[in-house]
Structures are given as C-alpha cells and as structure tokens.
Amino acid sequence: MEEIITRFPPSPTGHLHVGGARTALFNWLYARHMNGRFVLRIEDTDTRRSTQASVDAIFDALQWLNIDWDEGPYFQTQRFDIYKEYLNKLIDSDHAYYCTCSPDQIDVMRQQAMASGQKPRYDGSCREKGLKKTDDAVIRFKSPLTGTTVVEDLIKGNIVFQNDELDDFVICRSDGTPTYNFVVVVDDITMNINTIIRGDDHVMNTPKQLLLYRALQAPLPTFGHVPMVLGSDRSRLSKRHGAMSVTEYRDQGFLPDALVNYLVRLGWSHGDQEFFTRDELIRVFDLKNIGRSAGVFDPDKLLALNAEHIRATAPENLVAPLAPFLKDCGIEIQEDDYICNVIETLAPRSKTLEEMARAALFFYLDDIIYEEKAARKFLKAAALSPLKLLSEKLGALTTYNQENLEDVFKDVMDQTGLKLGKIAQPVRVALTGKTASPGIFEIIAILGPERVIPRLEKAIQYIEGLEG
Ligand code: GLU
C-alpha cells in the first residue's frame, strides 16, 4: 500500500486553538497509526495577518502536545517560484487565462448576476480573449461551465457541487501573489499529500481544489471534512465557552496527554472508551470512526480527564511538568524520592498541576504559616499535652511508616484519653498550617523526622506564647 502522508497547514494569524489542535492531532495520529509521514506547513501568504509571534506560538503548542513532524516546516512565502511554475503550467495547458477586468466591471457583473437571481460571479469576459500578462492582469482558472464536481468525502459521503456555481476564480492576483486555493493544491501535490483531514469550514473550497488537481493531472488525495467543534450553546466554539489556546492549558496545569485524549474524543470514538494513553491512540486511531456530528466542548469533562491522566502518570514523570508551577511559588525541585512521594500522595486529589503545586507547598516551606481560623480552633491549650507527647515519641522513632505511626498515636490517645480526631487536627495545623490535607500518617511519613519535629516544636511554642 502507498505510504500515507498527511499534513497540518496552520495560518499563523494567532494562537493554536482547540479546533486547530484537533485537526493537527487527527492528521498526526493517522500518520503515526499507518507508519506514514506527517508534514507541517505554515500558510503565511496573507502577509497582513501572519506574524512571527504566531508561528512561534504554533510551534510551541505543537511541541508541548508532543506532535512531531517528519517534514517541514515549509513556509508558503518561500515557495513562490514553485507556484509560478504551476501557474505557467495552467496557462500553457489552457486551464487558466489572464483577465484585465477592472474591479468596477466585476462589481457590475456581480450585481447583474444577483439581479437575475444568480450567485454573484465573474461572467467569463476574458476567458477566450487570449490576453497576455500585463501589470493589472489577474490569472483566472477556467472552471467547467456545465456538469457537476463531486467531492468524495470520507466523513460526509459524496458532496455534489454544480459547476455553473463555481465561477472562473482568481488564482493569482495582479501583484503576482497566488491565492489560497491554488497554493494549497500546489503544496499538497508537491508534498505528495494523499490524505487531507480538515475542518468542514473548508468544504466550500474543495470543489475548486479538486478542479485544480484535475487540471494539473495530479492524483486526488482522500478528503475528510470534520465537523467543527461547538460550544455548549451549539454555536462555534470561542473563549466564552471556556475554550483557551493550547498553551493556556499548559499554563493552567493540564497534561498534554490529557488534552490530546480530550481533543481526539471530540469527533472520534472507539466504542465508548473515554480514557486513552497516547500509545493506545496511535494503535487504535482510524479515520472511519470520525463522527458526522459536531463535538461539543465541555471544560468540565476535560478537567476530569486531566485528573485521570494525573493519576495514571508515574510520579517521576510528573516532576518536570510540575516544576514550573512550584517555581512560580519560589520552590525549586529536582527529581528525588521526596518529590515523588509528595506527588504520589497528591495525585489522587489534584485536577491540575497548578492545584497540585499549591497543595505541595507545605511539604517545602521551612516556616509554616498557620491559617488564622485553623490556629484559633486547634492550636490552643488543650493541644499542648498531646503535641508534646507526640513530639517526644516521634523524636525517638527513626523511620516513619504507617504501622509505627499508628502505634505512636495510639499511645498518645491512651495517655491523654483523647480521640484521634482531637489529636490529629492540631498536628495537621502544626505540619501544614491548614485543616485539610492528605491523611495525617501519610504526610508525617513523607515529611520525616527532620521536618515533623521542628514543626511540632514550633506549634508548641506558639501555644505557649499564647498562654504567656
Ligand atoms: N491554512 C488553513 C487554515 O488554517 C488550512 C487549509 C487546509 O487545511 O487546506 O484553516
């Protein structure tokens, strides 16, 4: 079988968003699944709207998503010689012609067409004139005047377009810049792209592109137009539906694999399975299970999936993605047993890495700041004797584990006649500054004697200070 070659051709006019990222993913996954190739092309011919900052942002987002490319990035602005060659081919084979109609003349044609109930269109005035290139001439493609053009779409089935509705569209402007439909086709032909999966906002371009393939006698690629991603009110997805750019998800503590998982499921399914690792997606992704109905973006579902991916990731693999969030709080971490233990404890209760970093703070602070309410409620005279006893007994233990910590607490309960809760809460406030944390034995075991004893002593002094 022929090698599958797919592509992602973003226009660098802004950040990479959910819809674009999903298109990239479908093409990337299919190429990986088929052991094919994935090409990256930057469609930067609209020089007024394209920016280097957008190019950089797109690379940044793709790299974070771990979407790698085998070829490119190609930049359309560096390929004008190729486009020129193909324009000449179309002129020479009588599939295109120069047109010198002025904008005013074209306006009149359009109005006349509309007045007679037709779509605004160019009337073909210059089609048979055999005009030569002049400064004000555009190049138009000779569209067939009758018949139909059928797009055999992998997702939507056959889509039939009446040729008399496709006028002789411009493929090169008078300033010499080729137009979008033309350059896309030349690129896809010269890059040997044979599978094109893209948003269905491009469906209307496809018949024009198909005619260009035929005129250039190039084999047709397989087309699949994916329904757009919608917001909860079923209008086109935007910020107000809670959708962000790809890198904003990174900055808010999402894992790339979680976003990948979520985006792929927005329009593709594999039975009713929701959770996929990246390797699993590569193994099972195919085009026939891309759905015909639009996916509705659900930020809560994405968040839940992120939590699931956090839980499913080995702690050592979360150290690097977590590090920037702790760094923002002034804490530098490196991969060691301590952080891995912290992550293991926090993973089941963190929906994002940002949340995890906030919860991890007390493990790293030298000086615990007590939340006012927590201190008022629990760090008071009644806690003094259990805290002192615990400090003494825990100080005598060299290794902390669930079993011997339970014994120590039992001892203290016996000696003070207090229930576990009455002891655990002051200890929790002493160790974390807060009233909520992972299990008390769990955090004592992770913190270890070198952090636990000074924190207990500080709480004891704090209470004694109150009394004095
Ligand atoms: N550059 C186009 C876009 O960003 C994609 C064109 C295509 O997929 O053919 O929408």
Side-chain angles (χ1 to χ4, degrees):
M1 206 185 123
E2 187 189 17
E3 183 183 31
I4 293 294
I5 308 178
T6 66
R7 47 50 152 199
F8 179 54
S11 305
T13 54
H15 283 269
L16 184 62
H17 285 274
V18 166
R22 185 188 60 162
T23 301
L25 258 172
F26 281 179
N27 285 285
W28 178 81
L29 276 173
Y30 188 56
R32 292 290 168 266
H33 174 72
M34 297 299 287
N35 266 321
R37 266 186 302 146
F38 176 67
V39 178
L40 179 62
R41 175 169 84 225
I42 303 295
E43 304 207 320
D44 56 350
T45 47
D46 184 348
T47 47
R48 282 168 307 127
R49 294 177 61 224
S50 301
T51 64
Q52 185 58 43
S54 299
V55 173
D56 294 341
I58 291 168
F59 289 163
D60 189 25
L62 290 174
Q63 271 154 8
W64 178 67
L65 286 170
N66 277 312
I67 296 182
D68 55 345
W69 48 94
D70 307 302
E71 237 184 79
Y74 294 107
F75 290 83
Q76 287 184 326
T77 46
Q78 294 169 8
R79 295 169 55 81
F80 280 106
D81 288 347
I82 303 173
Y83 304 140
K84 213 163 165 186
E85 182 193 325
Y86 276 78
L87 283 169
N88 288 335
K89 274 191 193 180
L90 288 176
I91 299 254
D92 293 347
S93 62
D94 200 26
H95 282 103
Y97 61 91
Y98 289 103
C99 161
T100 52
C101 294
S102 68
D104 286 347
Q105 283 172 300
I106 289 173
D107 253 5
V108 173
M109 288 174 205
R110 290 201 166 131
Q111 274 159 22
Q112 279 171 349
M114 287 198 287
S116 60
Q118 289 175 315
K119 280 197 185 163
R121 67 202 311 271
Y122 174 69
D123 71 0
S125 287
C126 295
R127 190 170 161 119
E128 303 303 339
K129 283 188 186 160
L131 296 175
K132 294 276 171 257
K133 181 174 166 27
T134 49
D135 280 350
D136 58 348
V138 300
I139 303 177
R140 288 184 182 274
F141 179 73
K142 266 191 187 173
S143 291
L145 301 173
T146 55
T148 57
T149 296
V150 182
V151 176
E152 293 176 21
D153 191 279
L154 206 68
I155 298 160
K156 296 183 183 293
N158 286 0
I159 314 170
V160 181
F161 294 87
Q162 300 299 324
N163 288 338
D164 61 7
E165 292 202 351
L166 310 168
D167 65 357
D168 288 353
F169 53 93
V170 174
I171 54 178
C172 184
R173 301 180 189 91
S174 56
D175 65 4
T177 55
T179 58
Y180 166 73
N181 280 310
F182 173 73
V183 293
V184 165
V185 170
V186 173
D187 284 342
D188 286 335
I189 291 173
T190 50
M191 293 170 195
N192 299 310
I193 307 297
N194 51 25
T195 310
I196 295 178
I197 308 299
R198 61 185 173 199
D200 65 4
D201 50 337
H202 285 287
V203 159
M204 296 310 285
N205 291 321
T206 313
K208 293 181 185 170
Q209 296 181 3
L210 222 130
L211 293 172
L212 285 164
Y213 274 94
R214 291 213 182 108
L216 291 165
Q217 294 182 310
L220 283 184
T222 301
F223 286 102
H225 289 92
V226 186
M228 304 302 280
V229 181
L230 302 180
S232 49
D233 57 0
R234 301 199 73 82
S235 66
R236 201 174 160 160
L237 185 65
S238 73
K239 258 197 174 349
R240 90 196 137 78
H241 300 110
M244 299 183 284
S245 71
V246 164
T247 41
E248 279 174 291
Y249 286 104
R250 172 190 63 197
D251 299 343
Q252 294 203 0
F254 284 79
L255 287 174
D257 283 13
L259 190 58
V260 163
N261 184 166
Y262 183 70
L263 291 178
V264 173
R265 282 286 294 109
L266 266 183
W268 173 87
S269 59
H270 183 68
D272 49 17
Q273 186 173 340
E274 294 286 355
F275 181 92
F276 295 87
T277 64
R278 183 180 297 261
D279 288 344
E280 207 174 359
L281 283 175
I282 292 174
R283 218 165 38 242
V284 299
F285 184 81
D286 57 8
L287 301 181
K288 72 173 193 294
N289 287 320
I290 295 178
R292 281 181 184 215
S293 51
V296 174
F297 185 78
D298 179 352
D300 293 335
K301 206 164 160 189
L302 170 56
L303 194 61
L305 207 48
N306 197 51
E308 213 176 318
H309 275 269
I310 287 178
R311 287 197 294 277
T313 307
E316 60 269 27
N317 294 334
L318 288 176
V319 178
L322 179 66
F325 295 95
L326 280 167
K327 198 166 176 200
D328 283 348
C329 307
I331 291 162
E332 302 266 359
I333 50 166
Q334 55 229 8
E335 194 185 321
D336 54 20
D337 287 348
Y338 188 64
I339 185 65
C340 287
N341 290 335
V342 169
I343 291 172
E344 197 174 346
T345 300
L346 297 178
R349 45 180 83 227
S350 308
K351 287 201 173 74
T352 66
L353 295 173
E354 205 237 348
E355 201 180 313
M356 184 184 274
R358 266 187 280 122
L361 272 183
F362 77 82
F363 284 103
Y364 285 92
L365 295 177
D366 287 329
D367 198 16
I368 296 296
I369 312 285
Y370 306 131
E371 278 178 10
E372 207 188 307
K373 248 172 110 179
R376 210 176 328 119
K377 187 150 181 216
F378 296 107
L379 296 186
K380 50 190 188 189
L384 210 45
S385 95
L387 284 175
K388 279 185 170 168
L389 272 172
L390 264 178
S391 176
E392 188 188 305
K393 289 180 192 295
L394 288 174
L397 269 183
T398 44
T399 45
Y400 288 2
N401 58 41
Q402 178 83 21
E403 206 185 351
N404 60 25
L405 290 174
E406 264 177 41
D407 288 345
V408 166
F409 270 74
K410 235 181 245 142
D411 261 6
V412 175
M413 283 157 70
D414 287 346
Q415 287 188 34
T416 57
L418 293 169
K419 293 214 173 92
L420 180 62
K422 290 272 180 232
I423 304 172
Q425 274 313 69
V427 173
R428 180 171 275 120
V429 178
L431 298 181
T432 72
K434 293 180 282 219
T435 49
S437 78
I440 195 74
F441 299 137
E442 230 172 305
I443 61 175
I444 293 176
I446 294 171
L447 286 165
E450 69 279 20
R451 291 183 191 81
V452 169
I453 304 303
R455 291 184 193 193
L456 291 178
E457 288 302 318
K458 185 191 152 180
I460 291 166
Q461 277 168 23
Y462 174 88
I463 299 172
E464 285 175 343
L466 289 180
E467 294 202 313

